[in-house]
Amino acid sequence: MTTVADIYSAINELIPFDTKESWDNCGMLAGDPDKGVTKIITALDITNDVIEEAKASGAELIVSHHPVIFSPLKSVTASSPVGRLLSGGVSTICTHTPFDMSPLGMNKGLYDILSAPLGLSEDSMSLDDMGNGLSIGRIYELKAPITPKEAAERAKEALGCTCVRFTNGRIIKHIAISSGAGNSFIHLAAQKGADALLSGDFKHDGFIDAVNMDFTVIDCGHFHTERIFCGLMKNILSKRFPEIDIIEAKSCVDPANYCL
């Protein structure tokens, strides 16, 4: 029978865990590497609801994007996510920054979704070049210039965002796209010739800097720029392990509520 360790090895071959950022924690973070696997759930985050869904469905493994253990733990209680995983016999593999940087990961997924709505060309350059073909984000030329509002509206519809915040900078001819939290990439994107940066989790100071530079930031949210992980990882694993039932977590939902 295929084991958790077998699945870890397969993911590691395609998306090496040693490419992670120095501050990151990823890989197999909880469970039994020797446990047999007949069903896998993919999820952006390992929440209590996702764990309960895994247990109810009979899944032995959750493959997530965000790590269930990020900062060092000083205790593990039965009601905590790690405690629930261990008591329920559910293992976890978390991919995080290696998946962000991988050509098979977030960059590809976001390009596939945003290419037609934004009119992205196939040619691109790395936003934050990590070497060996790895990049956290890419910069694309648009086939036809668009306004910041047009870009924000098209991205909102394509990504299924509840709301999108943006600054009204210059006409967009080149756009940088990076999933998750993009505030730290604003100046880099501008220096590399982008007119806009589409990402999530922009801070107030980031909006101010963008306005001062006549630059557009388009904040589609951390969740909505990364929830594509579930489907991307399902497709990757299904090709390698066709005998295993692989499902996307239904309980993988935006943790935020909105007053509109």
Side-chain angles (χ1 to χ4, degrees), residues 38-53:
T38 60
K39 179 177 283 190
I40 298 171
I41 282 187
T42 61
L44 179 61
D45 302 283
I46 299 181
T47 62
N48 288 339
D49 288 341
V50 168
I51 295 169
E52 293 308 310
E53 182 181 349

Side-chain angles (χ1 to χ4, degrees), residues 63-74:
V63 178
S64 76
H65 183 53
H66 293 135
V68 68
I69 301 173
F70 191 72
S71 301
L73 298 177
K74 295 184 178 180

Side-chain angles (χ1 to χ4, degrees), residues 57-215:
S57 68
E60 300 92 353
L61 174 66
I62 301 172
V63 178
S64 76
H65 183 53
H66 293 135
V68 68
I69 301 173
F70 191 72
S71 301
L73 298 177
K74 295 184 178 180
S75 66
V76 176
T77 62
S79 60
S80 69
V82 175
R84 290 170 185 254
L85 288 166
L86 296 176
S87 64
V90 180
S91 298
T92 65
I93 297 173
C94 309
T95 62
H96 210 206
T97 55
F99 194 82
D100 287 331
M101 292 184 277
S102 171
L104 300 174
M106 292 296 187
N107 288 328
K108 181 183 184 304
L110 285 176
Y111 177 82
D112 289 345
I113 291 174
L114 296 171
S115 175
L118 294 182
L120 304 179
S121 64
E122 294 183 5
D123 294 334
S124 66
M125 63 180 291
S126 297
L127 172 58
D128 187 16
D129 193 344
M130 311 301 289
N132 298 318
L134 305 176
S135 174
I136 297 184
R138 302 197 68 80
I139 300 174
Y140 300 92
E141 183 177 4
L142 274 63
K143 296 175 182 177
I146 57 176
T147 67
K149 185 177 181 182
E150 287 173 329
E153 289 174 340
R154 294 179 189 183
K156 179 178 183 291
E157 182 176 357
L159 295 173
C161 305
T162 303
C163 64
V164 169
R165 302 184 303 156
F166 70 98
T167 59
N168 200 24
R170 57 186 177 267
I171 292 294
I172 301 171
K173 299 178 181 178
H174 295 84
I175 187 168
I177 297 175
S178 180
S179 68
N183 196 75
S184 63
F185 296 128
I186 293 174
H187 289 276
L188 178 61
Q191 289 167 8
K192 288 200 164 189
D195 304 299
L197 170 60
L198 187 155
S199 187
D201 287 358
F202 288 108
K203 299 179 181 179
H204 181 74
D205 65 281
F207 276 88
I208 295 298
D209 287 347
V211 169
N212 287 337
M213 295 188 296
D214 193 28
F215 184 82

